């Protein structure tokens, strides 16, 4: 499955798998059923050092880069896509603050890595999802700093956030030229949290709408260049797309393993259904596509770690892997027959969780636009 991992990467994968199977898998069904954030499990991931896996050692991480983060994500998501989603948020927040934050912003990183400070990012709005340049949340200067007003939708960890990164319009120009990122205290006056969203899958993430009603921010709250956060967001999306790809890969791997195990024991027409060619073809396609997805992710992650641009490669990995995962988790459920529709079997939860992967971090229709535009640039 992983033939070219370094010794350190192999050890990382084994550590992540042991933790996921011992700590995450036994709790996964309850997290899904109760739709609750498991703070103890989150803290355990932090104590294992997983949140700093991609962060440079000088900033308190382990320096394993995007490749290491994708390895860990696959193993976690194999046991729970929702917990994989929870893992991604502090990993990405620590990287973003390290790359773009000032000294005060970076002072939060140790708390994020320790699981004591829960971060969240608010980009999407009720009327603006993939169209980041069209966001309407505003930030205006006054004598004491900034004042933010607006509404953000689908804020993962919004219900429990301690450090909130908000993308808002900070100038008068339209489009992407006047967008800044602001680091806010998640408990500041004027931050109003909506009810926890009742989602199809990916439960236990305290996802909610957040309204900013005259929220005050310090003068140095801007992360990165003022009016220049659109470019930062696009760069961050590239890393996020790798993480979402690895998350989908982990769920596809779990569905594949469950389908093979079920097909070996389920008997119909005088023998195990794995002997039937129709089932064998589905299993063969699962195995092949999972291998292809892993190679796409590995390639893009290594390019990222080498400092190379990955807009096209990240979009390709996200597009292929999430579409593949949706298709083959569905096939795995089909192999389970009627039992696959029952919550007694993991594949039912995988089917609900994996659907979001095609929407997250830019829908797969957006990924196709990105790929086509990058190809056009390269072919000039």
């Amino acid at each position: 499955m992983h033939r070219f991992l370094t010794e350190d990467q192999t050890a990382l994968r084994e550590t992540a798998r042991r933790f996921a199977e011992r700590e995450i898998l036994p709790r996964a069904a309850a997290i899904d059923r109760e739709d609750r954030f498991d703070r103890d499990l989150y803290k355990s991931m932090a104590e294992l050092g997983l949140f700093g896996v991609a962060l440079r050692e000088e900033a308190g991480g382990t320096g394993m880069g995007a490749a290491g983060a994708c390895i860990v994500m696959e193993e976690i998501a194999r046991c729970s896509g929702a917990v994989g989603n929870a893992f991604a948020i502090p990993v990405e927040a620590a990287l973003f603050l390290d790359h773009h934050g000032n000294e005060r912003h970076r002072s939060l990183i140790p708390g994020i890595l320790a699981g004591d400070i829960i971060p969240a990012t608010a980009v999407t709005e009720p009327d603006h999802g993939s169209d980041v340049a069209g966001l309407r949340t505003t930030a205006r200067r006054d004598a004491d700093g900034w004042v933010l007003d607006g509404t953000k939708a689908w804020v993962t960890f919004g219900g429990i956030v301690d450090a909130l990164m908000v993308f808002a319009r900070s100038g008068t120009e339209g489009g992407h030229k006047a967008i800044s990122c602001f680091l806010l205290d998640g408990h500041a006056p004027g931050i109003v949290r909506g009810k926890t969203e009742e989602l199809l899958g990916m439960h236990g993430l305290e996802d909610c709408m957040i309204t900013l009603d005259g929220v005050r921010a310090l003068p140095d709250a801007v992360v990165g260049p003022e009016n220049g956060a659109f470019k930062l967001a696009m760069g961050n999306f590239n890393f996020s797309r790798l993480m979402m790809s690895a998350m989908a890969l982990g769920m596809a791997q779990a569905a594949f393993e469950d389908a093979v195990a079920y097909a070996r024991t389920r008997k119909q027409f005088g023998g195990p259904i794995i002997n039937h060619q129709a089932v064998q073809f589905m299993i063969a396609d699962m195995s092949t596509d999972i291998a292809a997805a892993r190679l796409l992710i590995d390639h893009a992650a290594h390019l990222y770690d080498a400092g190379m641009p990955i807009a096209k490669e990240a979009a390709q990995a996200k597009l292929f892997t999430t579409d593949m995962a949706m298709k083959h988790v569905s096939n795995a459920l089909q192999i389970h027959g009627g039992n696959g529709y029952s919550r007694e079997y993991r594949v039912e939860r995988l089917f609900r969780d994996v659907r979001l992967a095609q929407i997250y971090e830019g829908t797969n229709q957006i990924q196709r636009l990105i790929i086509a535009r990058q190809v056009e640039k390269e072919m000039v």
Side-chain angles (χ1 to χ4, degrees), residues 199-346:
L199 304 178
L200 173 69
M202 289 291 178
H203 295 161
L205 295 173
E206 297 289 341
D207 193 301
C208 71
M209 185 176 291
I210 287 182
T211 300
L212 307 168
D213 184 8
V215 178
R216 305 206 61 86
L218 295 172
D220 70 345
V222 178
V223 182
E226 185 177 331
N227 296 330
F230 180 83
K231 185 176 180 180
L232 301 188
M234 295 302 102
N236 189 61
F237 278 143
N238 290 332
F239 183 86
S240 299
R241 285 164 186 154
L242 291 183
M243 295 293 278
M244 292 305 102
S245 300
M247 183 182 74
L249 176 62
M251 288 187 278
Q253 179 67 34
F256 170 64
E257 292 171 8
D258 285 1
V260 172
Y262 186 86
R264 282 173 170 166
T265 58
R266 177 66 170 176
K267 294 184 178 179
Q268 292 285 308
F269 305 105
I273 62 172
I274 200 169
N275 294 337
H276 299 167
Q277 191 177 72
V279 173
Q280 290 174 343
F281 281 8
M282 281 194 282
I283 289 173
D285 287 346
M286 286 182 200
S287 176
T288 302
D289 287 349
I290 286 171
R294 190 173 286 118
L295 289 172
L296 276 173
I297 295 168
D298 286 349
H299 174 64
H302 282 95
L303 287 176
Y304 180 92
D305 289 338
M308 303 291 286
I310 62 162
K312 182 184 73 175
E313 289 79 7
Q316 288 173 333
K318 200 265 186 184
L319 170 64
F320 180 84
T321 306
T322 58
D323 279 355
M324 174 278 295
M326 186 68 237
K327 172 184 176 182
H328 290 313
V329 171
S330 179
N331 283 341
L333 191 152
Q334 189 74 12
I335 288 172
H336 281 73
N339 285 331
Y341 212 62
S342 167
R343 292 200 174 188
E344 293 297 316
Y345 289 81
R346 175 170 63 168

Side-chain angles (χ1 to χ4, degrees), residues 62-76:
T62 55
M64 299 289 284
C70 289
I71 289 169
V72 175
M73 173 61 90
E74 180 183 344
E75 295 302 331
I76 291 176

Side-chain angles (χ1 to χ4, degrees), residues 164-183:
L164 180 63
M165 287 180 281
V166 176
F167 286 75
R169 189 163 298 284
S170 51
T172 57
E173 291 189 71
H176 67 276
K177 294 182 179 180
I179 295 174
S180 299
C181 177
F182 296 85
L183 179 60

Side-chain angles (χ1 to χ4, degrees), residues 2 38 40 51 58 94 110 131 156 176 188 213 215 217 238 254 290 340 363 373:
H2 291 279
D38 193 323
D40 290 339
F51 294 164
E58 296 82 359
D131 180 17
T156 305
H176 67 276
D213 184 8
V215 178
N238 290 332
I290 286 171
T363 66
R373 288 169 181 169

